[in-house]
Amino acid sequence: LGFQGGQSGSKNISGSGLHLAGMDELKNYLSSKILSRIVRVEFFRPYSDESRLEIVDLFIEAFSEKLAGKFPVVLNVNEDVKKFIVKEGSDHPELGIRLLKQKFDKYITWKLENLVQKRLVRADDFLDVSLEEISGKKYVVFRKVDIVNLPPA
């Protein structure tokens, strides 16, 4: 059960006032019999864009580690792509991080899986992931980057 601040009639409450306001709101939804059985109530605040960017970095790190064991490729995800995913995944803050994960999967995970299935990407490829705008619409683009092996200095 969740409540979102900023609705009509709500106040900017913090600390114990938040707990009391939350419990009062629960009384509108649950009977006193059920309320008496609640042991603990957790309150979560919306994530900031900075926090969402850090979470996208964690998604990239976890995805890269997962790939390393099965299909080693190196992903270099541009900051513009990260910000785009955060913007796309912030449409409904009440969904928390679920929408952000869905957008990450849509723009990174599923696109890369599609490229692998079409054999356009091979193991040990280095991929640069960038954002391009074509006719006013933004696209996440994967490009192979050739790494030149330089002799040791």
Side-chain angles (χ1 to χ4, degrees):
L1 187 58
F3 307 99
Q4 184 174 354
Q7 296 171 344
S8 61
S10 69
K11 301 172 188 166
N12 190 4
I13 308 169
S14 62
S16 62
L18 179 65
H19 185 268
L20 292 172
M23 292 306 289
D24 282 343
E25 191 65 28
L26 279 175
K27 291 176 187 174
N28 295 328
Y29 295 91
L30 304 173
S31 70
S32 58
K33 195 174 194 178
I34 293 175
L35 276 174
S36 67
R37 295 180 182 191
I38 294 177
V39 176
R40 187 167 142 185
V41 177
E42 295 289 333
F43 294 92
F44 299 94
R45 300 199 185 281
Y47 289 97
S48 66
D49 284 346
E50 295 81 24
S51 296
R52 289 175 184 271
L53 278 170
E54 290 177 28
I55 292 168
V56 169
D57 283 334
L58 292 173
F59 288 161
I60 292 167
E61 185 179 320
F63 184 58
S64 295
E65 287 175 11
K66 181 179 172 184
L67 283 175
K70 298 177 183 179
F71 194 82
V73 296
V74 176
L75 289 178
N76 177 36
V77 181
N78 187 302
E79 284 298 315
D80 290 338
V81 173
K82 295 175 188 179
K83 290 176 183 174
F84 175 72
I85 292 170
V86 165
K87 183 177 181 276
E88 291 288 305
S90 300
D91 290 348
H92 301 282
E94 67 275 8
L95 296 177
I97 296 305
R98 289 175 292 193
L99 184 59
L100 187 64
K101 177 64 171 136
Q102 289 171 0
K103 297 301 179 177
F104 178 82
D105 288 342
K106 176 182 178 181
Y107 293 112
I108 304 293
T109 307
W110 299 334
K111 280 193 173 194
L112 183 58
E113 287 175 359
N114 191 24
L115 292 171
V116 170
Q117 287 175 352
K118 291 180 179 180
R119 300 180 195 268
L120 297 172
V121 173
R122 289 185 244 156
D124 298 321
D125 278 348
F126 185 93
L127 301 174
D128 186 53
V129 186
S130 60
L131 190 66
E132 290 190 11
E133 190 169 337
I134 302 170
S135 301
K137 188 171 179 184
K138 294 183 180 182
Y139 295 90
V140 175
V141 178
F142 287 74
R143 283 199 177 83
K144 282 188 198 181
V145 178
D146 291 326
I147 304 296
V148 178
N149 292 327
L150 299 174

